[in-house]
Amino acid sequence: MIKSIKNTSVYKSSVLGNENSQAYLFYSFDKELNNNIALAFAKSLICKEKCGCESCVACQQFNSSSHPDVYILKQPTIKVDDVTKLMDKLNTKPISADVKVFVILNAENINEISQNKLLKSLEEPNSQNVFILTSSKTDKLLPTVMSRLTKIYVPKLTEQDKQILSKELAEQNVDISKYLNANFTLTEIINFETNEEYKNTLKNLDFLFSNLKTTADIPAAVSKLNNVNKELFFPLMQDLFLTCLNGEKKFEKPLTMLIDVTFNKKALAKCIPLVGEAYKKQMSNVNFGYILDNLLFNILKEKFLCK
């Protein structure tokens, strides 16, 4: 199990923002990795050294599932009663940590009624409470819930990554309390000064939306995409749309301006779940070209319907 969030792609290459966040979503296709990283992050928040040191009383309590300020839901099906019990603990003060940490693993298991119940707490955050959710199926989460979460895309770790991480943990104590003042998106989790796959995917998206005026443009535009990273393409597109919908300034200005001019807010809101479905199909080994063609057709349809 990964013991800390402090690996080079998730920690060192992060761009920290200035907005407080009380609710995080760790997401990727890898359920186990999502949960491990999220739990490591949760541990760091209550750790005396703010790094998941493994030595302090708080870390030991976390490891034994006995910390009084940490609440974890991980049932196969998360019902209204489960969320209600969690909500009942929101208005009490932390006992030994600076914050109370509420972790919901595999949040796609929360039914719609429970998500709406959770939404109220996300809309009215308390600085003493931090929510940490994970999901490998973000299309199962309500758009209203997604909009309230600081989204952290979890890159796939190679064995070499894990070895580097293990070595770092043994050698360093890093204060990550500043994560409480972070506003992450996928664009910020990747070091875009050095990550060629990220930069190339962004170029592909820029090319795609610059050359997509009608459905007749789809085949030519798709055929000219260069070295597509299929694992990154749909998550980055989804994050781009979410960023523009929320009025954030996370991407390069020309690209966000292009999206803002091409789509109004209503169209963006309609397109985000479509990208989520494409994201899901990509993991089911459906042909990438077919998925993208179909997605772009439906995106353009929403663009014209929402004028």
Side-chain angles (χ1 to χ4, degrees):
M1 174 178 173
I2 297 168
K3 297 292 185 181
S4 170
I5 195 174
K6 186 175 56 63
N7 75 73
T8 54
S9 56
V10 178
Y11 184 81
K12 289 185 175 180
S13 298
S14 298
V15 177
L16 299 178
N18 297 313
E19 301 177 32
N20 289 330
S21 179
Q22 259 63 56
Y24 298 85
L25 173 68
F26 290 82
Y27 72 103
S28 75
F29 299 124
D30 190 327
K31 183 183 296 186
E32 182 179 5
L33 182 59
N34 294 341
N35 294 346
N36 284 341
I37 292 290
L39 289 171
F41 180 60
K43 186 190 296 185
S44 73
L45 298 182
I46 53 88
C47 172
K48 182 180 178 180
E49 302 297 330
K50 302 299 181 186
C51 66
C53 69
E54 301 297 330
S55 301
C56 69
V57 172
C59 281
Q60 292 172 12
Q61 288 177 322
F62 186 96
N63 291 340
S64 63
S65 302
S66 61
H67 195 286
D69 296 317
V70 178
Y71 309 92
I72 300 175
L73 282 181
K74 55 182 178 181
Q75 293 92 316
T77 301
I78 300 173
K79 301 178 181 178
V80 175
D81 287 347
D82 300 319
V83 175
T84 300
K85 289 177 182 177
L86 213 63
M87 301 299 100
D88 290 341
K89 304 178 187 298
L90 292 177
N91 295 321
T92 59
K93 293 183 178 180
I95 295 173
S96 62
D98 296 330
V99 293
K100 289 178 297 179
V101 182
F102 299 87
V103 183
I104 304 178
L105 302 179
N106 310 318
E108 65 269 11
N109 295 330
I110 311 175
N111 63 37
E112 186 171 335
I113 296 174
S114 300
Q115 286 192 51
N116 280 314
K117 190 173 184 66
L118 177 64
L119 179 62
K120 185 176 180 181
S121 299
L122 298 177
E123 289 175 333
E124 302 172 1
N126 181 326
S127 61
Q128 291 185 319
N129 299 324
V130 178
F131 283 90
I132 300 174
L133 282 65
T134 73
S135 180
S136 58
K137 300 177 180 178
T138 56
D139 58 300
K140 299 294 183 183
L141 298 178
L142 297 176
T144 47
V145 171
M146 286 284 288
S147 69
R148 300 293 175 176
L149 300 172
T150 293
K151 290 162 284 297
I152 304 176
Y153 177 74
V154 181
K156 185 176 181 181
L157 297 184
T158 64
E159 288 303 316
Q160 184 178 8
D161 290 331
K162 294 176 184 178
Q163 290 174 11
I164 293 172
L165 172 57
S166 178
K167 183 178 180 181
E168 287 177 346
L169 287 172
E171 295 176 350
Q172 300 178 39
N173 288 324
V174 177
D175 181 357
I176 67 166
S177 59
K178 58 188 175 181
Y179 271 95
L180 288 175
N181 296 318
N183 185 23
F184 291 89
T185 67
L186 172 59
T187 59
E188 292 173 330
I189 224 57
I190 299 172
N191 185 343
F192 33 85
E193 294 296 327
T194 59
N195 191 296
E196 294 300 325
E197 289 185 346
Y198 164 80
K199 291 192 289 186
N200 186 64
T201 303
L202 204 57
K203 287 180 181 178
N204 277 326
L205 286 168
D206 186 33
F207 171 82
L208 190 63
F209 289 111
S210 297
N211 292 277
L212 204 63
K213 309 301 180 186
T214 70
T215 54
D217 299 323
I218 293 175
V222 171
S223 68
K224 292 180 182 178
L225 295 180
N226 183 37
N227 296 324
V228 176
N229 182 320
K230 297 176 182 178
E231 288 190 2
L232 187 57
F233 192 86
F234 293 122
L236 189 50
M237 184 190 292
Q238 187 177 55
D239 199 54
L240 172 62
F241 282 8
L242 281 166
T243 295
C244 292
L245 181 64
N246 293 332
E248 299 173 359
K249 306 298 180 185
K250 307 297 181 185
F251 287 83
E252 296 176 15
K253 191 173 182 180
L255 183 54
T256 52
M257 286 181 63
L258 173 62
I259 300 300
D260 286 339
V261 170
T262 305
F263 301 93
N264 59 34
K265 298 291 186 182
K266 185 177 179 181
L268 284 172
K270 293 277 190 179
C271 290
I272 288 167
L274 297 177
V275 182
E277 282 298 316
Y279 183 49
K280 182 178 177 181
K281 290 175 182 176
Q282 174 61 31
M283 286 307 293
S284 301
N285 294 319
V286 179
N287 180 271
F288 176 81
Y290 171 80
I291 298 172
L292 184 56
D293 284 354
N294 188 58
L295 172 63
L296 295 176
F297 178 85
N298 288 320
I299 282 176
L300 288 176
K301 182 173 74 172
E302 294 298 343
K303 169 190 171 183
F304 292 120
L305 287 176
C306 295
K307 279 187 174 180

